[in-house]
Amino acid sequence: MKNKIETRLALYNIAVFASVLIAFSSILYFVVRDGFYADLRSHLQQMADGVVSSIDYEHVDKETPLPDLIVSELPASVSQSLMDLRLQWFDKNGKLSIEKGTLALDMPLNRSGGYEYQDSPRAMVFTKSVVVENKLLGYARVAQPLANLDRSMDHIKLGLFLGVFFASAISGVGITLLIAKSMQPLHANIARLKQFTADASHELRTPIAAINANSSVALKYSDGMRDSDREKFEMISSATNQMGRLVNDLLQLEQVEFLSGNHAPSREVAVILNEVRKVLAWLEQDKGIEVMLEAESDLYVEADEEDLCNVVQNLLENALRYTPPGGRINMSAVRDRANITIKVADTGIGISANDLSKVFDRFWRADKARSRVAGGYGLGLSIVQSIVTRLNGTINVESEIDIGSTFIVQLPSAKR
Ligand code: ADP
């Protein structure tokens, strides 16, 4: 339980920290990418200007062939990497007249100009129409491959991803250690509180037993006793019985966690279920409830016999308590691969879907009016869950109001 809380706390912290890092990295990534694209756009514009200035417009209106693009007149950086680019000049009718560079570019001319992207190979394309004295002379189009930029962005992405991963992992270790450290005093206090509860319950058992014994003796020899006195003794007896049960439950709850995990091999599960049933036969007859037992033979669990009895007895007792007269209870045990599944199903008052998650909480009882039938303190199922967890098993419940409840316990199977 304590580890569960610490793990959950650590996971929440790491999740928040990792989310902040992911958000930060994503913003950084997009800002850097936008910066690169803005640089690239101004670079393309420069090149387009270079193309425009290298065209000999004297030839444009004449039928004579146009001179080649004068690469030397382009900016130095452009002329160096010209082979990777594409520089094109289209005449006013959109016919490609001159071009330079090796970049494959098969997009149709966009006469309205501006930036475009080519998918394969990835490239940024800029088209500029050249108008002089209200006369369209033609279009300059330049394209630059995006492979290098994509590669750089991939590196940045990988760097950010690894950064987030390692920062989360390192902070995860730190957070876990810090939480463990800061929870230490809390655990010490809880342990002291548990010890106190166990000690107090233990100390209370003797006086409660004494009061109970005395009131029982008084009730046994009640001849000649006034009715009002007998009633008082009956009240004392009933109250001490309840207190005795609470004190026993508390003691058991605190002891369960401190017991060792070494189990004496139990007898066959079917035999134990049958014995528990016999112990509670009086309640069964009292309430007129039919209890069925269907257990496969030769099933053994990795559990101390007393623990198993405790679990089954608590579940059967609850089923009997919360099932109205005339109802049915089905106890079963089957092998389920490496586990033994024990079920206690009743046709009782059921538990609402909202309450299902609370039934194993200490001192939790369903709405008092519905549970008035019984005088428990809401500790039985907490004890059962603690025992089952200590035995490396699981317990679950399925229930529907007014239809019934099924408690399902899974325990590791053992060899005989
Ligand atoms: P209690 O001593 O009150 O029975 P438990 O921890 O055993 O304490 O059970 C907690 C609550 O869960 C009960 O008060 C009851 O409301 C509900 N509950 C337990 N078992 C059943 C059942 N078989 N059918 C309906 N409600 C149940």
Side-chain angles (χ1 to χ4, degrees), residues 1-12 179 183 187 360 385 389 393 395:
M1 153 105 154
K2 84 178 187 197
N3 284 338
K4 240 197 217 165
I5 295 174
E6 284 175 14
T7 314
R8 215 180 306 159
L9 259 177
L11 285 178
Y12 287 156
I179 288 177
M183 294 285 269
H187 290 319
F360 299 108
Q385 193 184 42
T389 308
I395 178 160

Side-chain angles (χ1 to χ4, degrees), residues 318 321-322 346 351 364-366 371 376-381 405 407:
N318 275 350
R321 270 190 203 163
Y322 301 112
D346 62 54
I351 303 162
W364 183 87
R365 305 198 68 223
S371 301
Y377 287 91
L379 285 174
L381 288 177
S405 313
F407 284 83

Side-chain angles (χ1 to χ4, degrees), residues 280-295:
L280 295 173
W282 65 273
L283 196 54
E284 188 181 328
Q285 283 154 15
D286 218 35
K287 291 194 70 176
I289 291 173
E290 189 186 358
V291 178
M292 311 279 291
L293 174 58
E294 292 169 39

Side-chain angles (χ1 to χ4, degrees), residues 16-88:
V16 170
F17 186 68
S19 312
V20 171
L21 278 182
I22 289 170
F24 173 77
S25 310
S26 308
I27 293 171
L28 188 69
Y29 175 82
F30 288 115
V31 168
V32 169
R33 200 185 67 161
D34 273 8
F36 280 157
Y37 272 71
D39 281 354
L40 202 61
R41 276 194 290 270
S42 76
H43 189 215
L44 278 178
Q45 215 156 20
Q46 261 183 38
M47 284 197 296
D49 291 345
V51 171
V52 172
S53 63
S54 74
I55 296 294
D56 179 359
Y57 298 105
E58 296 293 298
H59 289 80
V60 169
D61 276 341
K62 297 172 191 157
E63 287 309 306
T64 46
L66 282 165
D68 201 1
L69 279 174
I70 306 160
V71 172
S72 58
E73 284 184 17
L74 297 175
S77 60
V78 177
S79 55
Q80 274 161 22
S81 55
L82 183 65
M83 291 313 283
D84 294 335
L85 315 169
R86 195 72 157 185
L87 310 179
Q88 297 175 323

